[in-house]
Amino acid sequence: MPSTAPRLWIVATPLGNPGDLSPRASAVLAGADLVLAEDTRRAARLFRECGIEVHRLLSFYDHNEAERQEQVLRALRDGQTVALVSDAGTPLLADPGYRLVRACRKEGLPVSPLPGPSAPVAALSAAGLPPLPHSFLGFLPRDASGRDALFTAFAHVPGSLIFFERKDRLKESLTQAARLLGPREVAICRELTKEHEEFILTRLEHSASLPDDLLGEITVVVGPPEQVERSPENDVLALLRQEAEDGGKPRQVARRVQEQVRGWSVKEIYALLTSPQGSPHNH
């Protein structure tokens, strides 16, 4: 049974199958004085399906988290019990709530997790790719340059990478990942726990052949770096001189060279290009 002491509960909710809501989660949600939800209509629909009557439901999402925070803290100080849910899965992993939890910790207000469904964990458990170590990247940046920066930062990090991506950007993002992360296995995990759940196992370098009409919520698991022989630095320097003659900004030259070598990131090649030994004027 849930504790009767007032606190903030971080409650995991189903990814798509209402049967995954635990009895303990149901009891906490029904007993809470206030339930915070990213989308109150979606949350209300889940509660109806699960036969839960909540006392009070309040929206809590990215754009109102700051203004709602003091109201929630005041309720907790007054001895009320508050439950936080996201649209699906475990709150905070890629959803609002971190600032609220941090504020509670600073004030000494109790916070308890109520574990349950989690899309990254569900995907990793059934994808068949190495689970340890792994890094969860959340939702990928919307812009190509942001994704470039993220993939470059994790290109040499050991272990599998997990992230969320919208279906209309999936192929473009995976093509970028293939260029920056190198050849790797990848699992496209679609509609987890739902009727049309699907796991597509392929390779990053083959992602252009993925269907264009993939629907639903998508979690991607990229396998760990594979042992790829790194192109010798002298070969990279020779290509840099050749590509520099064809013109373009340094970063464009670095990107063209990166597509022709193995084991080098655009960032590393750019650093080489802008170093004394890589400058075309020195050769």
Side-chain angles (χ1 to χ4, degrees), residues 199-212:
F199 287 78
I200 303 172
L201 304 178
T202 180
R203 295 188 60 82
L204 275 182
E205 60 269 32
H206 301 156
S207 51
S209 61
L210 284 168
D212 290 318

Side-chain angles (χ1 to χ4, degrees), residues 5 16 32 52 69-70 103 163 170 173 182 186 191 220 235 247 253 274 278:
I52 300 169
Q69 182 169 297
E70 186 52 40
F163 54 82
L170 181 66
S173 294
V186 63
E191 292 289 81
V220 178
D235 291 358
V253 172
T274 53

Side-chain angles (χ1 to χ4, degrees), residues 15 93-94 118-141 150-151 154-155 157-165 170 173-174 177 181 184-190 192 199 204 217-225:
L15 302 177
L93 292 193
S118 168
V121 173
L124 195 61
S125 71
L129 296 178
L132 291 173
H134 66 259
S135 300
F136 175 53
L137 310 184
F139 287 97
L140 291 185
L150 183 66
F151 289 141
F154 281 87
V157 173
S160 296
L161 303 176
I162 312 165
F163 54 82
F164 301 145
E165 183 53 298
L170 181 66
S173 294
L174 292 181
L181 301 178
R184 301 194 191 193
E185 294 180 296
V186 63
I188 315 301
C189 313
R190 191 178 71 81
L192 290 168
F199 287 78
L204 275 182
E217 305 289 334
I218 294 174
T219 304
V220 178
V221 182
V222 177

Side-chain angles (χ1 to χ4, degrees), residues 93-276:
L93 292 193
D95 311 296
Y98 161 73
R99 294 181 187 85
L100 175 61
V101 171
R102 188 172 177 83
C104 287
R105 291 295 180 201
K106 284 186 174 181
E107 285 199 29
L109 296 167
V111 181
S112 291
L114 211 165
S118 168
V121 173
L124 195 61
S125 71
L129 296 178
L132 291 173
H134 66 259
S135 300
F136 175 53
L137 310 184
F139 287 97
L140 291 185
R142 295 180 181 182
D143 59 298
S145 60
R147 294 193 294 272
D148 264 10
L150 183 66
F151 289 141
T152 298
F154 281 87
H156 300 296
V157 173
S160 296
L161 303 176
I162 312 165
F163 54 82
F164 301 145
E165 183 53 298
R166 285 174 42 148
K167 54 184 180 291
D168 55 333
R169 282 198 300 259
L170 181 66
K171 291 177 77 167
E172 179 187 352
S173 294
L174 292 181
T175 300
Q176 280 181 272
R179 176 166 53 81
L180 296 164
L181 301 178
R184 301 194 191 193
E185 294 180 296
V186 63
I188 315 301
C189 313
R190 191 178 71 81
E191 292 289 81
L192 290 168
T193 77
K194 300 177 185 176
E195 182 181 353
H196 299 294
E197 177 182 272
E198 182 180 22
F199 287 78
I200 303 172
L201 304 178
T202 180
R203 295 188 60 82
L204 275 182
E205 60 269 32
H206 301 156
S207 51
S209 61
L210 284 168
D212 290 318
D213 55 351
L214 290 176
L215 300 177
E217 305 289 334
I218 294 174
T219 304
V220 178
V221 182
V222 177
E226 297 179 358
Q227 292 299 319
V228 178
E229 184 184 345
R230 187 174 164 96
S231 298
E233 185 174 303
N234 285 340
D235 291 358
V236 179
L237 284 167
L239 279 168
L240 276 175
R241 289 193 290 273
Q242 182 180 321
E243 288 292 340
E245 289 176 4
D246 291 341
K249 295 179 180 179
R251 199 163 293 280
Q252 293 172 326
V253 172
R255 185 165 285 121
R256 293 203 303 266
V257 170
Q258 196 266 344
E259 292 172 354
Q260 302 175 62
V261 299
R262 298 185 305 278
W264 288 77
S265 69
V266 173
K267 186 177 181 180
E268 289 174 315
I269 295 170
Y270 179 82
L272 192 61
L273 174 61
T274 53
S275 70

